Amino acid sequence: MRLLLITLAALAFMSFDDKTHGGDIAGTVKHEATKQPIPYANIHFRGTTIGTRTDDKGRFYIKSKVKKDSLAVSAIGYKTVVVPVAALTDPSYIIYLQEETYALNEIVVRPGENPAHPILRRIIASRKKNDPTSISQYRCQTNTKIAVQVDKRRDLQNDTTASANDKRLPIYYSEKRANNIIDHTTGLEKQEVIYQKQNGLGILADFHVDGYESAMSAEVNFYQNKIDLFGKTFYSPIGDNGLSYYKYYLKDSALINGNMVYTIEFKPKVKKDLAFKGFMLVDKQTWALRKIETALPKSANINYLTDFEIKYEFAPVNDTLLFFRKNSVAAELYYHKGGKVDGKHKLLINKTTHYSSVAIGNDTIASNAPKEVQPALSIEELRVNHELDSLNNLWWMRGIDKITTTAITGYFPLGKLDLGPYLEYVKHNKVEGLRLTLAARTGESFHPRYSLSGKLGYGFRDKEWKYGAGFAYKPSCEHRTLLGIDYEKDMTIIGSNDNLMLLRENSLHAGEDNLIASLASRRRNDRLSISKTLSVWGEREVAKGVASRVKVDFQTISSGEFIPFSYNGTPVDKISNSSISLQTRLSFKEKTTDKFLRRYYLGTRYPIINMVVTGGHYSTPQSKGEYLKLHLAYKHYVNVGLGKLQYALEAGVIAGSVPFPLLEVHRGNETYGYSRYRFNTLNNLQLASDRYASLFMEYHLNGAIINRLPLLRELNLREVVSAKMITGSLSSKHREVLDFPVMLHGLKQPFLEVGGGFENILNFFRIEGVYRVSPHKLQHAPRFEIKARFQVDF
């Protein structure tokens, strides 16, 4: 389960290609005069394109069945050497290269100045015009490969017959080739898929994330000042503040195709700074990057991560512009119990994107752009796909797939039937006592475009049957469309609504009354009543990032056993409510994936906005009336300093007089679990408003303080602080429709609670103390409490 969650979390950030290791030929490349290792030297079999590069210690390792008798070894600033293959059977063999120097023309070096610094200033001054993402119009073709494998090397270390590939278990593989048209002047970003395939274990076989393989989906752009990775902000080595965070070393200059190219190495000035280490090749004519290779420092303190490498190559498309040629990202993550990085149980995640057929503006395809034809599957790719197919047919793998599918979707697949949602099967509250429910739906194997669902439950205390049925249909349309109808008679929390689901969009339910809430409750839930609801709804993706939902509800809310309805002391049996709502959802460059009839949102660096307009009519035995509700939800995150600030805003207004269950009843939390979008020191049905604004904020410091404390930093903890606030008002006219329960009040002063604690405990938990600043007293609600939260986060 941990492996699957980490794999999905990593894919939610990016996707990756294969990076092979191992070999029959090994050695070390060194400088002949200084005997120092030469990093990033090129090694290849003469007459072929098969080869590798040395690591930062000058070592290389090649495995190939190619029968060639010699290797060519070259590096910028050194003379090429040809070495017989027969001499490289001993891994301790050393290849020495002689230096070949070039003059640094037209570079002004000030007395005592690092010679790399004036080059860096030229790069920074030319950064905007050299950034490929700033081109107003272009076309290109991309070929993106993603591979995820488990490294089993430690388990097979005594098996001398096993190759490097034998020690890897494939998890996921995909490839996509597409034509891309980008026009920033009109906002056009069009992709035409030429070829696409994917394979994976279990549920991952269908795991396709929209938004990764477009022409400008590169996770990293070094031409920007700052780079967002894993919720942290790293400083670019060619950013405006590069000299404040990096040390630079001018290592070489060489003529490549008639142009002078400089090689500059860089590394963080301060170990704990969020900066890269690596090298870059810079074209002197344009001061643009020709190549950059970086690695993420271990001090970045990212969950599960043991290695992270980024490699970008650029190719000229005209005399003044270098465009992307190849981008690759490779990560190694550990996921075994205990979290010790010892080389065992590593997840290898790789992505490679090749760019070809580049045309700028209205130009024809550039003649000097690298061309690429659709390659046949390599032996390694055939092996990966064959192993995935074989593993998916194993009985134990099918069992694991069912369990992981249940964890992600909430439904356990059982042939053509899916059992679930599983959290609804058993729960306990003060009204129903023990409640058992059987719920199921027809699954994707029954029909991929529609589903029939139903549930039947019984409370042993109230001796009431609860039931429901539904139908959802996904027609075959160019734009994603869903239609559905549902009916249910069930126990619900009085005053609850769907607004929470605008912030927790991937959740199956609001989490107010289920098995986990029952087990973690600090008080027995009694603010419940029976409601009967018929809903007819439709969803449609109008355009990329724009979706709408229309819903019509016919609802009856019955008086509760512990929260009875009354008007001027006279009992009221029920409230009838009919409403129609229109929801509009806006996002930009958001990554999503679809599974059966559900869409899962995997994040974007831009804000997500939901707007809902609801008009309705209610009636009670004593009165009736109309109302209009407006609600706005805004969710975003920004990187501030060394940490990440997540925040959400809600605001709304209710026009007209309504019974109190139809007010904006602010969400409380009656469990010991920490909730991001509930008020943790507030009970249910305690505060309500008809005009309101709410703010939820969390600032994740990523160990900015603890990492600098010698003993505490070994605990690998990270600091987190939070603040939540409500401000609003409540008109007395609503009391003329229905009496308020004794515990329900309006806001006489803003509600404010703050918290602070630690996360990354065992890589899964967050512990936080929460304190209510105001109001000082709320009946039966705690002023301070310790909360815990389970989470999978980098």
Side-chain angles (χ1 to χ4, degrees):
M1 177 61 68
R2 178 182 286 197
L3 169 61
L4 179 86
L5 292 174
I6 295 171
T7 302
L8 290 177
L11 285 170
F13 165 70
M14 63 179 179
S15 19
F16 312 88
D17 182 33
D18 181 52
K19 177 185 176 184
T20 57
H21 299 273
D24 302 321
I25 299 172
T28 304
V29 180
K30 291 187 176 182
H31 190 293
E32 185 178 57
T34 65
K35 302 301 187 287
Q36 294 298 312
I38 300 176
Y40 319 118
N42 296 303
I43 297 101
H44 67 275
F45 289 101
R46 293 188 73 190
T48 76
T49 59
I50 297 173
T52 186
R53 294 172 66 90
T54 58
D55 61 17
D56 56 1
K57 296 181 180 178
R59 300 173 302 190
F60 66 91
Y61 201 43
I62 304 177
K63 178 181 180 65
S64 176
K65 296 181 180 180
V66 174
K67 296 182 179 180
K68 292 290 180 179
D69 58 1
S70 59
L71 283 179
V73 183
S74 62
I76 295 176
Y78 295 87
K79 296 178 180 179
T80 300
V81 171
V82 177
V83 182
V85 170
L88 297 170
T89 56
D90 183 355
S92 63
Y93 188 86
I94 299 175
I95 302 170
Y96 291 104
L97 299 185
Q98 294 181 354
E99 190 171 356
E100 189 172 33
T101 59
Y102 294 89
L104 299 179
N105 297 323
E106 300 181 18
I107 292 293
V108 178
V109 180
R110 298 166 186 167
E113 184 180 22
N114 184 330
H117 289 180
I119 299 175
L120 184 68
R121 287 194 292 269
R122 294 288 193 95
I123 299 170
I124 294 173
S126 306
R127 195 179 61 204
K128 186 175 181 180
K129 71 179 180 65
N130 288 327
D131 184 359
T133 65
S134 66
I135 302 170
S136 59
Q137 295 175 308
Y138 66 89
R139 290 168 290 157
C140 66
Q141 194 171 99
T142 52
N143 189 10
T144 301
K145 294 182 180 180
I146 303 164
V148 183
Q149 301 180 77
V150 172
D151 189 350
K152 305 180 293 179
R153 184 164 308 184
R154 188 66 175 271
D155 298 330
L156 300 177
Q157 61 182 352
N158 297 321
D159 183 0
T160 58
T161 64
S163 68
N165 288 334
D166 293 334
K167 299 170 185 177
R168 293 182 177 181
L169 175 69
I171 300 293
Y172 178 82
Y173 177 84
S174 74
E175 182 174 355
K176 180 177 181 179
R177 192 179 185 194
N179 287 323
N180 306 272
I181 302 174
I182 308 296
D183 187 344
H184 292 306
T185 61
T186 61
L188 174 67
E189 186 168 334
K190 183 179 179 181
Q191 183 178 85
E192 180 183 293
V193 177
I194 302 171
Y195 173 80
Q196 185 172 8
K197 69 172 182 291
Q198 67 183 55
N199 201 351
L201 289 184
I203 192 173
L204 291 177
D206 301 322
F207 188 83
H208 171 70
V209 179
D210 182 35
Y212 288 139
E213 300 90 351
S214 63
M216 296 315 307
S217 66
E219 287 77 22
V220 176
N221 183 2
F222 290 101
Y223 282 103
Q224 296 177 346
N225 279 319
K226 296 181 179 181
I227 297 163
D228 295 338
L229 285 173
F230 301 105
K232 302 170 186 282
T233 299
F234 293 82
Y235 299 96
S236 171
I238 61 171
D240 291 338
N241 298 318
L243 291 172
S244 300
Y245 295 97
Y246 289 95
K247 293 180 180 179
Y248 298 91
Y249 307 91
L250 178 60
K251 304 300 289 186
D252 265 313
S253 62
L255 288 171
I256 299 180
N257 297 327
N259 289 341
M260 182 66 72
V261 175
Y262 300 118
T263 300
I264 299 177
E265 289 187 6
F266 49 86
K267 65 179 182 180
K269 274 188 174 181
V270 180
K271 182 180 178 181
K272 290 295 182 179
D273 279 350
L274 293 178
F276 301 96
K277 62 179 180 180
F279 76 96
M280 55 185 165
L281 273 60
V282 182
D283 184 271
K284 183 188 173 214
Q285 180 181 356
T286 60
W287 302 109
L289 294 174
R290 274 184 172 264
K291 178 184 289 187
I292 183 166
E293 295 189 7
T294 68
L296 207 59
K298 300 294 190 296
S299 57
N301 186 24
I302 296 175
N303 276 354
Y304 318 109
L305 196 69
T306 57
D307 254 324
F308 189 77
E309 297 179 350
I310 306 165
K311 300 179 182 181
Y312 275 39
E313 295 180 14
F314 302 81
V317 292
N318 54 42
D319 293 336
T320 60
L321 179 66
L322 278 79
F323 194 80
F324 293 116
R325 180 176 185 177
K326 178 183 177 182
N327 304 340
S328 64
V329 184
E332 289 187 4
L333 302 99
Y334 65 89
Y335 60 90
H336 65 287
K337 187 176 181 180
K340 296 180 180 178
V341 185
D342 58 3
K344 186 177 181 181
H345 299 129
K346 284 186 179 178
L347 196 67
L348 308 179
I349 308 174
N350 299 268
K351 169 186 174 180
T352 301
T353 300
H354 290 268
Y355 294 78
S356 61
S357 303
V358 179
I360 305 301
N362 296 319
D363 295 344
T364 57
I365 300 299
S367 59
N368 60 340
K371 298 295 191 296
E372 184 178 307
V373 297
Q374 180 61 45
L377 285 179
S378 67
I379 295 175
E380 171 64 11
E381 292 165 346
L382 288 170
R383 180 192 70 83
V384 168
N385 281 284
H386 175 71
E387 286 194 29
L388 287 171
D389 292 338
S390 300
L391 286 167
N392 279 326
N393 289 325
L394 296 175
W395 67 269
W396 56 268
M397 181 54 67
R398 291 196 296 268
I400 292 175
D401 179 42
K402 290 181 183 294
I403 294 171
T404 54
T405 299
T406 304
I408 294 171
T409 66
Y411 290 87
F412 182 82
L414 195 66
K416 296 184 180 300
L417 199 66
D418 293 343
L419 301 180
Y422 64 91
L423 288 178
E424 298 293 327
Y425 274 39
V426 181
K427 55 186 176 182
H428 189 278
N429 56 64
K430 193 171 182 179
V431 178
E432 296 175 289
L434 176 65
R435 156 82 177 268
L436 300 179
T437 302
L438 178 63
R441 70 177 183 184
T442 59
E444 189 171 9
S445 59
F446 180 82
H447 199 282
R449 294 203 170 274
Y450 68 80
S451 177
L452 293 164
S453 61
K455 68 177 181 180
L456 181 65
Y458 183 76
F460 286 89
R461 181 185 176 276
D462 66 347
K463 304 186 185 308
E464 282 271 357
W465 287 97
K466 290 85 180 179
Y467 48 84
F471 174 75
Y473 174 61
K474 183 179 181 180
S476 179
C477 301
E478 179 182 358
H479 296 283
R480 180 178 182 271
T481 304
L482 280 173
L483 303 171
I485 182 170
D486 301 290
Y487 175 80
E488 70 172 11
K489 171 192 173 184
D490 208 343
M491 191 71 68
T492 59
I493 293 181
I494 299 173
S496 63
N497 55 43
D498 293 334
N499 291 342
L500 176 60
M501 305 308 291
L502 302 178
L503 300 175
R504 295 181 53 193
E505 296 178 287
N506 290 334
S507 299
L508 290 171
H509 45 70
E512 298 173 317
D513 189 27
N514 56 51
L515 175 60
I516 294 178
S518 299
L519 295 175
S521 62
R522 59 176 170 78
R523 65 179 298 275
R524 295 180 65 194
N525 194 355
D526 60 358
R527 294 165 189 186
L528 303 161
S529 71
I530 291 286
S531 67
K532 300 176 182 178
T533 307
L534 173 66
S535 300
V536 181
W537 53 270
E539 298 177 7
R540 184 171 178 82
E541 187 177 42
V542 180
K544 186 70 175 177
V546 181
S548 62
R549 176 183 173 91
V550 178
K551 184 181 179 185
V552 179
D553 285 330
F554 303 93
Q555 184 180 39
T556 300
I557 307 171
S558 300
S559 178
E561 177 184 352
F562 296 96
I563 310 293
F565 299 162
S566 65
Y567 175 72
N568 289 334
T570 303
V572 174
D573 291 336
K574 63 182 180 180
I575 303 166
S576 297
N577 177 50
S578 303
S579 65
I580 180 170
S581 61
L582 172 63
Q583 174 192 344
T584 301
R585 185 184 190 277
L586 305 175
S587 65
F588 184 62
K589 292 188 176 180
E590 185 175 23
K591 297 177 176 65
T592 63
T593 184
D594 290 335
K595 178 63 178 173
F596 194 20
L597 301 180
R598 282 205 65 192
R599 167 156 289 184
Y600 296 89
Y601 298 99
L602 303 178
T604 174
R605 68 180 62 186
Y606 300 96
I608 299 171
I609 302 172
N610 276 285
M611 297 173 288
V612 185
V613 180
T614 304
H617 172 86
Y618 71 87
S619 64
T620 69
Q622 290 80 17
S623 63
K624 59 183 178 180
E626 288 77 33
Y627 61 89
L628 178 68
K629 294 184 178 182
L630 304 176
H631 183 83
L632 171 70
Y634 179 101
K635 184 168 65 171
H636 191 211
Y637 79 87
V638 291
N639 290 301
V640 179
L642 297 177
K644 179 173 71 172
L645 176 66
Q646 292 177 290
Y647 66 97
L649 299 167
E650 288 185 298
V653 61
I654 301 174
S657 302
V658 297
F660 73 85
L662 300 183
L663 291 169
E664 179 65 20
V665 179
H666 300 294
R667 302 182 294 269
N669 179 12
E670 299 183 349
T671 74
Y672 291 108
Y674 181 86
S675 177
R676 280 180 169 164
Y677 301 117
R678 294 177 180 276
F679 297 94
N680 291 284
T681 57
L682 179 70
N683 291 334
N684 292 320
L685 202 63
Q686 200 159 22
L687 292 177
S689 303
D690 55 15
R691 296 174 182 268
Y692 55 91
S694 304
L695 172 65
F696 305 86
M697 291 195 306
E698 291 182 358
Y699 185 47
H700 303 263
L701 279 76
N702 295 318
I705 299 174
I706 291 180
N707 283 345
R708 286 158 174 78
L709 302 177
L711 295 179
L712 291 179
R713 66 186 175 195
E714 301 303 324
L715 298 176
N716 202 29
L717 297 177
R718 302 173 186 170
E719 316 86 342
V720 59
V721 295
S722 64
K724 300 179 181 180
M725 185 180 70
I726 319 169
T727 181
S729 61
L730 181 63
S731 172
S732 60
K733 63 185 178 182
H734 305 292
R735 296 180 182 272
E736 299 172 5
V737 178
L738 205 65
D739 297 337
F740 280 19
V742 65
M743 79 289 294
L744 182 64
H745 302 280
L747 281 162
K748 296 180 181 179
Q749 64 184 101
F751 178 97
L752 174 63
E753 68 178 28
V754 296
F758 303 97
E759 52 190 351
N760 197 29
I761 299 172
L762 300 178
N763 294 337
F764 277 98
F765 290 99
R766 166 176 169 178
I767 302 294
E768 183 167 347
V770 183
Y771 176 75
R772 186 176 65 250
V773 178
S774 67
H776 295 301
K777 292 184 180 180
L778 283 176
Q779 189 175 17
H780 304 303
R783 185 85 184 271
F784 174 81
E785 200 160 58
I786 302 293
K787 301 279 189 177
R789 176 181 174 85
F790 170 83
Q791 60 186 26
V792 176
D793 196 1
F794 283 110

